[in-house]
Amino acid sequence: MQLLRGAALLLLLCATACWAQEDCVCTKNKRVTNCVKMGDTCQCESIGSGVTVECDTLSSKCLLMKAEMTGTKAGRREKPKEAFEDTDGLYDPDCENNGMFKARQCNGTSCWCVNTAGVRRTDKHDTNLKCNELVRTRWIIIEMKHGERKAPLSTGSLKKAFMETITSRYMLDGRYIGDIVYENPCITINLKQNSSDKSPGDVDIANVAYYFEKDVKGDSLFHNDRLNISIDNEMLRFEKIVVYYVDEVAPEFSMKSLTPGVIAVIVVVILAIVAGIVVLVCTRRRKGKYVKAEVKEMNEMHRGLNA
């Protein structure tokens, strides 16, 4: 009898666990597996790292990038129909157990130092490189363009819509949202969060920016929940987004790491300066010759008159 009761209890526990797994959906991170409902929250394992994530808040950017790289390798990555592959800035990161980026990242042959957003802040070196600390990103600037329209948007309505979206969808405390600037068709959002300001339970601005960038590019990390921003009853359509990072400590790049475009601009400026100097020297020489010739002619005229 006791054996039957034990078997029945075991079956009940298994059924409860199975139901919990089927009913538990990580709404704020679709790149997870082995989800289990624990009380009122859903806990899952992040793909690629196995780190447990809480589904009632945003996951760390490091774990998200690792999961995306794992999904890309395994062919499991979910893609929108209109999407094409864009791997700029994407690499397979090394994450701490708490989901933060390790200060040093490597790809097997070279290593570099990153900030808390996982963005490279040094030149690439060999594997002997040492990164003493993970430098915090204190300011993130998000620049984007909305689709073409006949008239500009209402600046007040736009600011209100973005404030509500960032605080509700991405769970960022409003005190970390700086200026929201609108110059038709460009929108600039400033997120600022110093290490001294951030409380332990606060969402990191690096995670917010990554989720937001993915939303704008049509590759939302939320489960079946695309970004919809409506301003004055009109759905906003985005065309382009660029994210800039400002760290608490200045990055350490050498001239070698400058992009060809920047180098080209520097070369053009130098050539223009050299050309200006050459023209100035030539002009002065010609002027000097003209003055000398004029003096010579005047002397000859004086000698003629005296004769």
Side-chain angles (χ1 to χ4, degrees), residues 161-205:
F162 275 102
M163 281 290 294
E164 291 176 352
T165 298
I166 295 171
T167 54
S168 60
R169 182 177 178 84
Y170 306 108
M171 307 172 68
L172 184 66
D173 193 309
R175 63 196 176 101
Y176 299 129
I177 304 173
D179 294 335
I180 299 176
V181 182
Y182 177 52
E183 296 176 350
N184 184 35
C186 299
I187 304 167
T188 303
I189 301 174
N190 293 275
L191 305 179
K192 297 181 179 182
Q193 189 181 61
N194 294 326
S195 54
S196 57
D197 297 335
K198 187 177 182 297
S199 302
D202 289 341
V203 175
D204 196 291
I205 59 172

Side-chain angles (χ1 to χ4, degrees), residues 104-164:
R104 190 186 77 152
Q105 298 290 329
C106 302
N107 61 6
T109 57
S110 60
C111 296
W112 59 93
C113 301
V114 300
N115 54 23
T116 50
V119 178
R120 183 167 65 88
R121 46 174 281 108
T122 66
D123 294 331
K124 290 187 176 182
H125 301 271
D126 59 29
T127 53
N128 294 320
L129 175 69
K130 291 184 179 180
C131 303
N132 297 324
E133 62 174 336
L134 182 65
V135 177
R136 174 155 192 81
T137 297
R138 64 175 181 84
W139 181 11
I140 294 180
I141 305 163
I142 303 171
E143 293 184 350
M144 67 196 109
K145 290 175 65 176
H146 64 64
E148 187 177 348
R149 57 194 324 278
K150 294 181 180 178
L153 294 164
S154 165
T155 302
S157 299
L158 181 141
K159 289 183 177 180
K160 182 181 177 182
F162 275 102
M163 281 290 294
E164 291 176 352

Side-chain angles (χ1 to χ4, degrees), residues 49 51 60-64 66 93-102 105:
S49 64
V51 174
S60 74
K61 181 180 176 181
C62 189
L63 295 178
L64 292 169
K66 194 166 191 67
D94 291 325
C95 310
E96 302 284 2
N97 291 333
N98 62 359
M100 296 293 289
F101 287 93
K102 290 188 176 181
Q105 298 290 329

Side-chain angles (χ1 to χ4, degrees), residues 237-264:
R237 180 173 56 86
F238 299 104
E239 292 185 346
K240 184 180 180 182
I241 181 170
V242 182
V243 182
Y244 300 94
Y245 304 87
V246 180
D247 295 343
E248 290 185 344
V249 179
E252 302 170 5
F253 291 113
S254 65
M255 287 293 291
K256 293 189 301 180
S257 63
L258 292 177
T259 61
V262 175
I263 294 173

